[in-house]
Amino acid sequence: MYKANSWLIFVTLLAGFSACSGKPDNALLLDPSPGNPRNSEGDFIQLSDGKTLFVYTHFTEGMDDYAGAFLAGRYSSDGGKTWTDKDQMILKNEGMMNIMSVSLLRLNKETIALFYLVKNNETDCRPFARYSIDESQSWSDPVSIMNDTICYAVVNNDRVVLLSGGRIIVPAAIHNSPAQNRFDNHGDVVCYFSDNTGKSWSRSRSALKNKSVILQEPGIVELGDDRLMMYCRTNAGFQYISYSGDLGDTWTEMEPSNISSFMSPAAIERIPSTGDLLLVWNYREENDTEITTKRSPLCTAVSMDEGKTWILRKILESEPDHWYCYPAVEFLEDQILLGYCAGSRETGNGLQSLKISRLPVQWIYEE
């Protein structure tokens, strides 16, 4: 159980921040190259030797979501300041189309979990898990999260959560069923969870759908009152939210939040050093009606009241012709690593370039 902290706690940390840079640093930019038309969405994991591993989707045959791709890795030995300049193969393409959308979790001292989507066709896309007991050098055979149910299920990168009580929870949006042989933008939002470190999986009793608002790409954060908060990308100009009081088995109806947003995913994670919540998303001005086409600016904000209100909005990226989206968030002592798509719509689809930025925790609190 978490308790939100006040400014007093943050002030006591300022001495530790004094040696930090006061602004974000661009640590890595992976643009397209011959034979590699897109690099996008990934996640971070801290290894036992002190290195940071970032695993992302390396495309080989095109820019769209149905093109061929495998999972590649880059390493940092200095807290995300610099990264290796060559890809390491993490997992070969095992789908008829691709594999993508990575989440990484350390389940315990010995075990790292790798979650990803296997995409076979436009109606068959499902999450799988593999496990490593040698710090990502090798992986177990794949385990199906959905017990081999065939459907098109979307689980974003950096979305799988390990709750404080040990439950692993995977939020998903299902966009078709075996009887519905087509993609439906209006997803059925469900959760899959495991209470035995990923050996077996169950599905939530709740399946959330809204006939008038598109629900897609859900995420989850654990709150301080033992509830979970789920947030979803929509076409309504706001992130929608739902709550669970039973560890993700049942959920309240989705309702609009106070997070004004384009039709793009957000990320909400707890800041270890302060206990507050960090929001990373594409902020939308109220009069901006380009809801489905824009994904800029990329901003951060902080909540000190468990997601009820968001303050201290800061702009991280703002080029209007770019898409800044699918963020992954990692905390390293007094620093935050953000990995996100950062492509230009003028030269591609907006998803073709990958960027890692490094910013001090202090920066997100500055007025």
Side-chain angles (χ1 to χ4, degrees):
M1 177 174 173
Y2 298 98
K3 294 183 179 178
N5 292 314
S6 69
W7 273 101
L8 292 176
I9 294 178
F10 176 71
V11 168
T12 65
L13 298 172
L14 286 178
F17 293 151
S18 60
C20 302
S21 167
K23 62 181 180 179
D25 294 321
N26 295 327
L28 179 67
L29 178 63
L30 294 177
D31 283 323
S33 61
N36 176 208
R38 172 179 164 185
N39 300 296
S40 63
E41 76 283 316
D43 198 9
F44 302 91
I45 192 73
Q46 303 304 310
L47 303 178
S48 61
D49 62 1
K51 293 180 181 178
T52 304
L53 169 62
F54 185 74
V55 178
Y56 68 96
T57 311
H58 177 120
F59 283 80
T60 58
E61 299 172 12
M63 287 187 185
D64 66 57
D65 286 347
Y66 301 115
F70 63 88
L71 302 184
R74 298 289 181 108
Y75 295 84
S76 174
S77 299
D78 54 11
K81 295 178 184 177
T82 61
W83 295 83
T84 50
D85 57 7
K86 292 183 179 180
D87 282 337
Q88 176 171 317
M89 173 72 72
I90 302 298
L91 199 61
K92 294 180 180 179
N93 186 3
E94 59 193 52
M96 295 173 65
M97 285 183 167
N98 62 43
I99 56 176
M100 61 185 298
S101 297
V102 174
S103 290
L104 292 163
L105 285 181
R106 181 170 291 280
L107 302 183
N108 50 51
K109 184 177 180 181
E110 295 80 21
T111 308
I112 294 173
L114 168 69
F115 301 88
Y116 60 101
L117 294 177
V118 176
K119 190 174 298 183
N120 292 315
N121 54 56
E122 296 182 14
T123 58
D124 181 0
C125 176
R126 289 169 284 154
F128 285 78
R130 290 175 181 256
Y131 306 97
S132 176
I133 56 173
D134 58 9
E135 295 299 295
S136 78
Q137 295 304 303
S138 63
W139 300 95
S140 69
D141 291 336
V143 175
S144 175
I145 303 299
M146 304 180 68
N147 299 319
D148 295 324
T149 301
I150 296 177
C151 64
Y152 199 101
V154 175
V155 179
N156 278 21
N157 61 301
D158 193 19
R159 283 302 207 228
V160 183
V161 176
L162 179 62
L163 301 181
S164 56
R167 170 170 286 188
I168 308 169
I169 188 163
V170 181
I174 298 177
H175 291 276
N176 74 333
S177 67
Q180 181 187 15
N181 194 30
R182 63 180 179 84
F183 184 92
D184 183 354
N185 276 325
H186 292 257
D188 289 336
V189 176
V190 300
C191 291
Y192 293 87
F193 51 84
S194 174
D195 294 313
N196 55 12
T197 61
K199 296 180 179 66
S200 61
W201 294 87
S202 301
R203 175 174 158 160
S204 62
R205 285 183 283 166
S206 290
L208 304 177
K209 193 177 182 72
N210 190 308
K211 293 182 179 180
S212 60
V213 174
I214 291 175
L215 299 178
Q216 297 177 338
E217 301 181 336
I220 288 174
V221 65
E222 188 172 12
L223 301 180
D225 58 4
D226 295 327
R227 293 184 303 159
L228 306 181
M229 182 173 75
M230 181 189 290
Y231 50 96
C232 276
R233 151 183 158 166
T234 76
N235 64 337
F238 295 87
Q239 296 282 315
Y240 270 44
I241 58 173
S242 173
Y243 295 93
S244 173
D246 55 11
L247 302 178
D249 194 17
T250 61
W251 294 85
T252 62
E253 289 298 317
M254 279 281 178
E255 296 181 345
S257 73
N258 58 1
I259 302 173
S260 181
S261 172
F262 295 108
M263 191 174 174
S264 58
I268 301 176
E269 296 198 15
R270 192 170 298 277
I271 306 167
S273 58
T274 68
D276 299 325
L277 296 179
L278 171 67
L279 168 65
V280 183
W281 90 116
N282 298 126
Y283 171 74
R284 180 187 65 85
E285 296 283 356
E286 288 188 10
N287 61 352
D288 195 329
T289 60
E290 298 180 62
I291 294 171
T292 63
T293 58
K294 288 179 65 175
R295 294 182 179 179
S296 177
L298 183 68
C299 297
T300 63
V302 173
S303 177
M304 300 180 181
D305 56 11
E306 297 297 281
K308 296 182 181 69
T309 60
W310 298 93
I311 60 174
L312 301 170
R313 178 167 55 88
K314 306 291 292 293
I315 296 176
L316 184 65
E317 303 271 15
S318 60
E319 290 293 329
D321 65 328
H322 280 56
W323 270 10
Y324 303 107
C325 46
Y326 296 98
V329 182
E330 184 76 5
F331 298 97
L332 292 177
E333 296 181 350
D334 58 3
Q335 299 290 313
I336 306 169
L337 299 182
L338 296 179
Y340 50 93
C341 297
S344 169
R345 296 281 282 169
E346 294 183 352
T347 59
N349 65 358
L351 303 172
Q352 72 272 21
S353 296
L354 171 69
K355 181 181 277 191
I356 294 177
S357 291
R358 185 175 182 268
L359 51 147
V361 174
Q362 177 188 2
W363 181 81
I364 65 173
Y365 281 93
E366 292 174 352
E367 297 203 36

